[in-house]
Amino acid sequence: MTKSSYDIEIDGYIQDDKNQSYLHIGALIWAKIERAGDFFLQILLVELRKDMPIHLATLLYLFSSVLLFSLSGELSWFAPTAYIFPWIKSAALGILIYLLAVEIPISALRRSQRPLTDAVVRLWAHIQYRAFPVVLLIFSLSIFYGVFTSNKNMLPILSPTWRDESIANFNQSLHLGYLPWKLVHGVTGYHPVTRVIEFLYLPIWLLILVGFPVFLGARRDLASLRVRYVLTMFLCFIVLGNFMAALGMSGGPAFYAKVTGDHERYKDLIDYLTFSHGMLFSAWDIQQYLWACFEAKTPQLGSGISAFPSLHVSMATLFALAGRHLSLWLGRMLMLYGVVIFIGSVHLGWHYAVDGYASVIGTVLLWSLVGRATKTVQAMPTSSLRRNP
């Protein structure tokens, strides 16, 4: 049966109406996508703005160090990008550990049919607005550590006088004539105990050093703690690890014989530590590596010799200070860990005990200073932070 011209015209109107409906639906969908994109962009800009003090501090440290190396004629020692890939790999490892230790077990408890997929989806839901800011934060941190290591390798040039003998004498006088490593050796002087301390002192310390700021960086609700933590960390490395280290240039017990010529004072300690030669994370092996880098004048990852004050103890103190703002039990656990790191710094020959004392005091002061400064800035009305037109 053929359609009449009237029926054909009616069908045309219906088809046009359908096309108009499809166009209207498409326009609505596109408008929602645009609104969602604008919303996401606004949040992203807000999140990037929260981290601005961290990035500005990194740039200031970078440019001032470039000037220092240019004036000293040692630009070949300047390696600000040396830690970019190690930091990326370490951060990726931290995320993988978090997935395996936290998110996947949650999926398993919920009897998920796709535990890994569900774990990744939940992780993305937590960090989607912080994903790019975290990447930028990792980049800033890697640049900062590259600049710091470059400056640390420059310390013997800027401050060529080793003060180990004076520091060791004061260290021993402070402890009533005893060498502090001997005071703790009754407890720590067993090979299995030393191996545990070596493991806690290097890989676990590095894991927390990288993982803590990445964790804080992924949380939108921890912006204030993140900025306070990272800025305090920066100041610890600069004030304690650069300026104070230059004033109290020292190698520590591990290198005491090499920088003073006195092979007897710490001979028993060094002889004991040689048992772990060839083992993973051996303190003695790492010390030989650092001295080889120092003699060859070849800056490498983690290279540079400077004992006073102890940045290992400083960072362990900072972990505890920040951890107690997350939870009481975490703060207590990290405080206990800090005590182990302090004892380990003496037992493994890395530091004199006074290096750790100075680090704890300096870190607490810097943490308090940054905390007061950030609270003052946050309390200021927005209008007062802008210039009047």
Side-chain angles (χ1 to χ4, degrees), residues 285-303:
D285 284 351
I286 296 169
Q287 287 158 5
Q288 306 317 301
Y289 159 77
L290 291 178
W291 189 257
C293 291
F294 173 76
E295 287 190 317
K297 297 183 179 180
T298 55
Q300 301 290 336
L301 289 178
S303 64

Side-chain angles (χ1 to χ4, degrees), residues 103 107 112-123:
E103 293 297 344
S107 297
S112 170
Q113 298 298 317
R114 300 174 302 171
L116 179 58
T117 302
D118 290 345
V120 172
V121 169
R122 277 198 309 277
L123 178 63

Side-chain angles (χ1 to χ4, degrees), residues 28 45 56 80 88 102 132 161 163 166 233 247 294 312 355:
L28 288 176
L45 292 175
L56 290 176
I88 291 174
V102 179
F132 179 70
T161 303
R163 306 186 187 280
S166 298
M233 182 177 69
L247 294 174
F294 173 76
H312 248 80
D355 299 344

Side-chain angles (χ1 to χ4, degrees), residues 132-313:
F132 179 70
V134 165
V135 172
L136 195 58
L137 178 64
I138 291 171
F139 180 76
S140 273
L141 291 170
S142 68
I143 294 296
F144 179 87
Y145 279 101
V147 175
F148 171 77
T149 298
S150 300
N151 286 324
K152 186 176 181 180
N153 280 279
M154 277 280 289
L155 289 179
I157 296 176
L158 299 175
S159 181
T161 303
W162 296 94
R163 306 186 187 280
D164 282 80
E165 188 173 357
S166 298
I167 294 175
N169 289 339
F170 174 70
N171 184 61
Q172 193 165 346
S173 298
L174 188 64
H175 295 88
L176 305 178
Y178 292 96
L179 290 172
W181 77 267
K182 289 187 176 182
L183 296 176
V184 299
H185 199 68
V187 177
T188 59
Y190 300 92
H191 292 181
V193 176
T194 301
R195 291 297 293 151
V196 170
I197 293 175
E198 286 178 330
F199 182 73
L200 293 173
Y201 198 84
L202 185 62
I204 297 302
W205 184 85
L206 286 174
L207 182 63
I208 301 175
L209 183 73
V210 175
F212 214 136
V214 172
F215 168 76
L216 295 176
R219 293 279 297 269
R220 291 184 64 196
D221 58 326
L222 297 177
S224 296
L225 182 59
R226 176 173 63 250
V227 171
R228 184 180 183 182
Y229 175 88
V230 176
L231 290 183
T232 302
M233 182 177 69
F234 282 1
L235 285 175
C236 287
F237 274 81
I238 295 170
V239 176
L240 305 181
N242 285 156
F243 291 109
M244 287 186 66
L247 294 174
M249 188 64 198
S250 59
F255 307 109
Y256 188 85
K258 298 182 187 309
V259 301
T260 67
D262 180 357
H263 293 265
E264 296 301 319
R265 193 168 199 168
Y266 291 99
K267 182 180 184 301
D268 292 342
L269 174 60
I270 303 306
D271 287 346
Y272 168 79
L273 293 173
T274 58
F275 85 89
S276 65
H277 171 54
M279 299 180 184
L280 196 62
F281 310 125
S282 165
W284 190 85
D285 284 351
I286 296 169
Q287 287 158 5
Q288 306 317 301
Y289 159 77
L290 291 178
W291 189 257
C293 291
F294 173 76
E295 287 190 317
K297 297 183 179 180
T298 55
Q300 301 290 336
L301 289 178
S303 64
I305 293 176
S306 172
F308 178 85
S310 168
L311 284 179
H312 248 80
V313 175

Side-chain angles (χ1 to χ4, degrees), residues 75-116:
L75 270 175
S76 61
W77 285 37
F78 192 57
T81 59
Y83 285 86
I84 290 178
F85 289 111
W87 259 85
I88 291 174
K89 289 188 288 186
S90 298
L93 176 62
I95 293 173
L96 178 60
I97 291 174
Y98 175 79
L99 280 173
L100 294 174
V102 179
E103 293 297 344
I104 291 181
I106 291 175
S107 297
L109 289 173
R110 295 177 179 177
R111 298 181 180 180
S112 170
Q113 298 298 317
R114 300 174 302 171
L116 179 58

